[in-house]
Amino acid sequence: MTSFWSWWIVILTSAQIVLCAWLLFGNRKKDSGEVKTTGHTYDGLQEFDNPLPAWWFYMFVITIVFAIGYLIAYPGMGNFKGVLGWTQINQYDKTVTIADEKYRAMRDRYLAMEIEDIAHDPEIRRMGQRLFGNNCAQCHGSDAGGSYGFPNLMDDDWLYGGSPEAIKTTLINGRKAAMPAWESILGEGGIRETAEYLLSLNNREADAEMATAGARHYQTYCVACHGTEAKGNQMLGAPNLVNGIWLYGGTREQIVHTLRNGRNGVMPAFAQTLSEDKIHILTAWVYGLRKETAP
C-alpha cells in the first residue's frame, strides 16, 4: 500500500473514532430528576428527552476504548502492522503447525505401512477424501470421475499405470502430455483417414477405404507411442486407443481435432505442496477407488 492511501486510512479511521467520542460526550446529559420532553406530541403521546442510561453510555465508552486498543495491537491503520506483529499468514502457519503436530504420529504410522494394506482403511478413506477434495477435485471432480481432458480415476484405464508406485510417482513428479499435432505432416485428408482407422479399431462405423489408408499412416507415425495393437504404452503415457475410453472425446470430429492439433495436458507435481505422508495417504485413497466402485 502506498503512503498516500496508508495515511488516508489512518486519517479517516482516527476521525471516525474522534467523531464518535465527540457525539457521545457532547450529547451527554445528567439526570436532574426533572421530566423533560422534546415538545413532540402525537395522539396524546409525548416524546421524552431523557439522558442515556449509565450502562448504555459506558458500553459506548468501552467500544471506543476497545477500538483504540485493537488498532494499536493489530494491523488496521494503513501500513502500521500493530505492536503484536499479527498477520493472516502467521496465523495460518501457526494453525497448520498445530494440526501437523496433532496428526503427525497417526500419519507416520500409515506412512510405514504398504499402500495395499491401508487402501481400504476407513480412517485413510476419510483423510484421503479430504486431501483429494482440497487438491485434486478441481480437475478430476469431487467424485474422481474426471471430465473432458481430465482422467477418470475410478476405472482401470491408466495412462501411466495404476499401481501404487505409479500413482505415487504421478503425484510427486506430475505428468506432461506430449501428443504432437499432425496437420502439417498428414494434411487434412491424412488426418481424417487416420481417424477412420481408429474408429474401425473400436468396431465403430467407418469408411473402409479411408481406414485402410489410415492404417498406413498409423504404422508410420503413431505406432512408436501407441504400439502395433494401439493399446498404448504406459511408459510414455500413450493412451490405449481400442478400449473405447477417450480423454478428449471419442466422436469422429473430436478424434480429428486431437490428431490435427495435438494435446498437451499437464498434471501438476505435488512434491512441494504435500508432505510425504499426505502423498502416501492420497495414493492409497486413489488406489482404493477402483475396488470401491468395481460393482
Side-chain angles (χ1 to χ4, degrees):
M1 184 186 300
T2 63
S3 297
F4 171 80
W5 289 114
S6 176
W7 280 107
W8 177 269
I9 293 172
V10 170
I11 293 172
L12 284 182
T13 304
S14 301
Q16 289 289 334
I17 294 175
V18 171
L19 179 62
C20 289
W22 176 78
L23 288 173
L24 180 64
F25 286 95
N27 291 280
R28 184 184 183 190
K29 297 179 181 180
K30 293 183 179 180
D31 190 355
S32 61
E34 181 183 354
V35 177
K36 296 181 179 180
T37 68
T38 63
H40 299 159
T41 302
Y42 180 79
D43 198 20
L45 299 176
Q46 290 183 316
E47 183 179 353
F48 289 100
D49 188 17
N50 293 326
L52 284 175
W55 68 267
W56 201 343
F57 173 80
Y58 288 117
M59 182 180 68
F60 281 122
V61 172
I62 290 172
T63 59
I64 293 174
V65 173
F66 175 83
I68 295 173
Y70 181 91
L71 292 172
I72 293 174
Y74 295 96
M77 296 290 277
N79 289 329
F80 177 64
K81 299 184 182 301
V83 297
L84 298 182
W86 181 92
T87 66
Q88 290 179 325
I89 295 175
N90 291 342
Q91 182 69 30
Y92 172 79
D93 290 341
K94 181 179 179 180
T95 302
V96 170
T97 300
I98 293 173
D100 281 342
E101 292 176 354
K102 180 179 179 180
Y103 298 107
R104 172 65 61 182
M106 178 176 61
R107 294 203 300 259
D108 284 347
R109 176 168 60 87
Y110 285 120
L111 181 60
M113 301 172 66
E114 295 295 329
I115 289 174
E116 292 90 337
D117 298 332
I118 62 174
H120 298 285
D121 183 289
E123 189 67 30
I124 285 290
R125 304 309 299 164
R126 288 192 291 270
M127 290 190 292
Q129 187 171 29
R130 288 192 291 269
L131 287 169
F132 183 87
N134 290 334
N135 298 278
C136 315
Q138 296 89 335
C139 294
H140 295 281
S142 58
D143 62 349
S147 61
Y148 182 84
F150 301 103
N152 181 347
L153 303 180
M154 297 189 294
D155 58 23
D156 287 322
D157 186 58
W158 294 87
L159 291 177
Y160 297 93
S163 66
E165 295 76 16
I167 296 173
K168 179 175 282 191
T169 299
T170 296
L171 287 170
I172 293 173
N173 301 318
R175 301 290 186 181
K176 179 69 171 68
M179 164 68 184
W182 294 104
E183 183 176 27
S184 61
I185 297 174
L186 294 175
E188 186 64 20
I191 284 174
R192 292 196 172 273
E193 290 169 347
T194 306
E196 292 299 316
Y197 174 65
L198 295 177
L199 290 172
S200 70
L201 290 179
N202 286 270
N203 298 317
R204 293 168 58 184
E205 182 179 349
D207 184 290
E209 184 176 348
M210 294 180 67
T212 300
R216 292 192 292 270
H217 300 317
Y218 179 90
Q219 295 299 324
T220 302
Y221 300 107
C222 311
V223 69
C225 293
H226 295 280
T228 56
E229 297 180 348
K231 292 185 177 180
N233 185 341
Q234 292 182 346
M235 293 292 293
L236 302 174
N240 185 335
L241 302 178
V242 296
N243 61 0
I245 299 175
W246 302 89
L247 187 59
Y248 293 95
T251 67
R252 179 176 276 100
E253 289 306 316
Q254 286 172 326
I255 295 172
V256 166
H257 182 83
T258 296
L259 289 168
R260 181 190 297 126
N261 302 297
R263 299 293 184 181
N264 294 282
V266 176
M267 160 71 186
F270 285 95
Q272 303 301 319
T273 306
L274 298 176
S275 59
E276 182 183 5
D277 53 338
K278 289 181 180 179
I279 289 178
H280 192 76
I281 290 171
L282 184 55
T283 299
W285 186 81
V286 173
Y287 179 73
L289 283 175
R290 286 172 295 171
K291 291 184 179 179
E292 192 175 76
T293 59

